[in-house]
Amino acid sequence: MSTHRQDPLAQVSDFDIRLLRIFRSVVECGGFSAAESALGIGRSAISQQMSDLEQRLGLRLCQRGRAGFALTEEGREVYHSALQLLGALESFRTEVNGLHRHLRGELNIGLTDNLVSLPHMRITHALSRLKEQGPDVRINIRMIPPSEVEQGVLDGRLHVGVVPQAGALSGLEYQPLYGERSLLYCAVGHPLFYADDAQLDDERLNGQDAIAPTFRLPSEIQAHYQALHCTASASDREGMAFLILTGRYIGYLPDHYAAFWVRQGRLRALKPATRFYDLSLASVTRKGRRPHLVLESFLEALAATT
């Protein structure tokens, strides 16, 4: 009846790798005593570790005693195999660390329109850092309404989005980024453009043709639109700007976005001390998403910007 000898290293554990590192140092130092300073442990501890390794392998690796240190034939074979194994582990570590330093892949990001004129520039700075980290990363930006951004993140078409924060949707995570202020504007040609603010009572303002957004907003902000006589709608802020610039409507726009036309004398804010609202913008990602190094690097860069 034949017997099958069990493989002494059916699985290589962290403990085995540690012992092999010590064995390599002992061989390269030429003995236990010389390896003490290199390993930072005493001779007796090294001797015990070598005995543990020999027991694990079922082989005699070296001769030690008054005649000095010498590898056995099996010890030389194990030493060369250990060099291959430890070298492969080091190559693996270097390559994985290299993935962090040299990112590859894509970042699909969906943005609410007209964020580029925000003075904070956090998104711009984070994209710059991402490209510096990973020159080969492909960045794909979609400028779409907030509802489409959230749906794109939910169904996986987008890795991340930036939207006005109007209550969390199930399955999404939101991280506040910054806030923006929106004022009530009219354009040249509108009857209120040259009116004195003191003459603009609520009844007169609320009677003007106005624009309502079709994207989600917090209830306290929706109240600002409910007070107006909304006879038009727009899915994004650029659409609202188009209608306001006709000179036929009034409507709310972010002040940073409207500033260009204000400087040109084409837009003016109506009663800015009282007719305004503040909106928080947030990054949005999917809950329970799979690990994605490019996305995580972008989110880290976004959190680091101020």
Side-chain angles (χ1 to χ4, degrees):
M1 180 178 180
S2 63
T3 59
H4 178 71
R5 186 173 180 271
Q6 186 177 0
D7 185 352
L9 281 184
Q11 292 183 338
V12 179
S13 67
D14 290 342
F15 180 65
D16 295 321
I17 293 172
R18 180 172 178 272
L19 294 179
L20 288 170
R21 291 187 192 279
I22 293 173
F23 175 54
R24 180 183 63 182
S25 294
V26 169
V27 174
E28 292 173 353
C29 290
F32 292 6
S33 298
E36 285 184 279
S37 57
L39 293 172
I41 56 177
R43 181 175 177 177
S44 60
I46 295 173
S47 179
Q48 181 61 53
Q49 303 276 24
M50 287 298 91
S51 296
D52 290 342
L53 179 60
E54 289 176 329
Q55 184 175 356
R56 287 281 293 157
L57 297 175
L59 297 170
R60 183 72 170 172
L61 300 178
C62 58
Q63 304 291 343
R64 54 263 205 192
R66 293 183 180 180
F69 175 84
L71 286 176
T72 64
E73 187 63 32
E74 292 82 2
R76 281 191 289 272
E77 294 292 335
V78 170
Y79 172 67
H80 290 301
S81 296
L83 290 181
Q84 294 177 14
L85 172 61
L86 297 175
L89 288 172
E90 181 61 24
S91 296
F92 174 77
R93 184 188 66 82
T94 300
E95 289 177 12
V96 171
N97 287 341
L99 292 176
H100 287 267
R101 290 191 296 270
H102 306 291
L103 299 175
R104 296 177 181 85
E106 289 189 341
L107 178 71
N108 299 322
I109 177 172
L111 300 179
T112 299
D113 63 320
N114 308 125
L115 296 181
V116 71
S117 53
L118 271 167
H120 308 82
M121 298 290 284
R122 289 184 64 180
I123 298 170
T124 303
H125 294 324
L127 289 172
S128 176
R129 289 190 185 187
L130 178 65
K131 191 61 176 174
E132 181 181 5
Q133 262 188 293
D136 296 328
V137 169
R138 182 181 179 88
I139 298 171
N140 304 307
I141 291 182
R142 295 190 63 194
M143 305 300 298
I144 50 180
S147 60
E148 293 185 31
V149 173
E150 291 172 311
Q151 185 57 48
V153 174
L154 273 174
D155 63 27
R157 287 180 291 115
L158 297 174
H159 297 121
V160 61
V162 177
V163 296
Q165 194 161 6
L169 293 182
S170 177
L172 296 178
E173 293 179 340
Y174 298 79
Q175 291 296 326
L177 291 178
Y178 35 47
E180 64 177 12
R181 173 160 290 190
S182 290
L183 303 175
L184 186 61
Y185 290 94
C186 71
V188 170
H190 193 277
L192 301 185
F193 189 80
Y194 294 108
D196 188 335
D197 270 352
Q199 300 173 348
L200 296 178
D201 57 28
D202 287 343
E203 184 177 357
R204 189 177 181 190
L205 279 177
N206 295 344
Q208 304 296 317
D209 285 330
I211 311 151
T214 58
F215 50 87
R216 291 192 315 127
L217 288 169
S219 57
E220 63 272 18
I221 291 178
Q222 291 175 4
H224 289 268
Y225 291 95
Q226 291 167 356
L228 298 175
H229 178 56
C230 293
T231 59
S233 66
S235 64
D236 50 53
R237 282 96 68 90
E238 186 170 359
M240 300 181 81
F242 267 113
L243 289 170
I244 295 169
L245 287 166
T246 66
R248 305 301 180 189
Y249 299 90
I250 64 173
Y252 285 96
L253 290 175
D255 56 4
H256 61 87
Y257 177 49
F260 172 76
W261 294 293
V262 171
R263 289 193 297 269
Q264 288 187 332
R266 297 178 62 191
L267 286 183
R268 67 158 288 196
L270 302 169
K271 304 194 76 169
T274 56
R275 289 294 183 120
F276 70 87
Y277 63 79
D278 294 319
L279 181 63
S280 175
L281 293 158
S283 65
V284 55
T285 52
R286 187 171 58 182
K287 290 181 180 177
R289 61 186 181 274
R290 292 180 179 178
H292 188 287
L293 190 55
V294 172
L295 172 59
E296 303 310 323
S297 298
F298 172 72
L299 294 177
E300 288 176 10
L302 197 59
T305 57
T306 57

